[in-house]
Amino acid sequence: MSDDDGTERTAAVSRETSETTIDLTLAIDGDGDAAVDTGVGFFDHMLESFAKHGLFDLTVHCDGDLDIDDHHTVEDVAIVLGEAFAEALGDKRGIVRYADRKVPLDEAVAGVVVDVSGRPHFDFDGDFSQAQIGEFTSDMARHFAYSLAMNAGLTLHTEVEGVNAHHEVEALFKALARSLDDATRVDPRRSDTPSTKGEL
């Protein structure tokens, strides 16, 4: 699929450091298909959920220093995913730009307000009820959202509440997905960049 002028909104980004080696592809106008292997099972599940609920086609392969912990893997995947969004969106011509989504999962609820502004900013309100979900450190969900915002050029306000960290983190990833799907859609009424400055 593509936007209205036929441009494919896709990106392929690779990144190699002493801590991680990552290859990632993203199609914004996808079907929600994902092939993910980061070595952290719960993180793989969250990225697959992100793709499914945002209707993004996503492939991720990450070889990280999991003998230390999950920090570098989660952070660096978020960096590369943010870079892929920025590349795939290009000049952001015609996009909706703003979105606001709340997503529940049983007792938990997460909210995300996003502006695809080109001006990175991040706020987070809430706590995760348990420190770990399998091999995934719960607070890395907050850091994932932060790193995504910084590298995609998003103004991102997030919040989460609940009593089960699995539900809280999963609701956050789904809210991120739904809000980004909404904000990056092409508005058929608009042919320009949605800014009085003429660029984002």
Side-chain angles (χ1 to χ4, degrees):
M1 295 180 67
S2 60
D3 65 14
D4 285 353
D5 68 1
T7 302
E8 296 289 333
R9 300 195 302 169
T10 62
V13 181
S14 297
R15 183 176 191 263
E16 183 173 356
T17 71
S18 61
E19 298 165 341
T20 59
T21 300
I22 299 169
D23 294 297
L24 182 149
T25 66
L26 171 70
I28 290 177
D29 306 299
D31 298 311
D33 297 330
V36 179
D37 180 12
T38 67
V40 182
F42 183 75
F43 187 39
D44 289 354
H45 176 47
M46 291 302 95
L47 291 171
E48 291 163 357
S49 182
F50 177 84
K52 175 67 70 175
H53 292 279
L55 291 173
F56 309 124
D57 289 345
L58 179 66
T59 69
V60 183
H61 183 269
C62 177
D63 182 12
D65 55 359
L66 295 177
D67 55 311
I68 297 175
D69 62 16
D70 59 338
H71 184 113
H72 297 142
T73 291
V74 177
E75 178 181 55
D76 289 2
V77 167
I79 289 171
V80 174
L81 182 59
E83 291 174 347
F85 267 102
E87 180 181 326
L89 286 170
D91 65 6
K92 307 179 184 73
R93 184 174 299 274
I95 65 168
V96 172
R97 178 176 171 178
Y98 303 100
D100 179 359
R101 282 283 189 159
K102 278 198 169 184
V103 172
L105 180 55
D106 296 347
E107 90 299 338
V109 64
V112 170
V113 180
V114 64
D115 175 8
V116 186
S117 62
R119 298 188 305 279
H121 178 84
F122 180 74
D123 277 322
F124 179 82
D125 184 25
D127 295 293
F128 298 108
S129 297
Q130 291 82 38
Q132 290 288 136
I133 308 165
E135 296 177 338
F136 183 86
T137 306
S138 299
D139 196 55
M140 287 309 300
R142 177 192 59 79
H143 195 60
F144 174 89
Y146 165 82
S147 298
L148 177 66
M150 294 301 106
N151 289 276
L154 308 175
T155 296
L156 195 62
H157 294 260
T158 60
E159 60 183 0
V160 64
E161 60 181 79
V163 297
N164 181 302
H166 183 138
H167 295 166
E168 293 156 1
V169 171
E170 186 166 349
L172 178 59
F173 270 80
K174 289 176 177 177
L176 279 168
R178 296 301 295 268
S179 62
L180 282 170
D181 177 39
D182 290 345
T184 58
R185 288 183 188 178
V186 175
D187 186 338
R189 301 168 301 172
R190 183 183 295 282
S191 60
D192 61 348
T193 301
S195 170
T196 54
K197 295 190 297 293
E199 64 179 38
L200 289 171

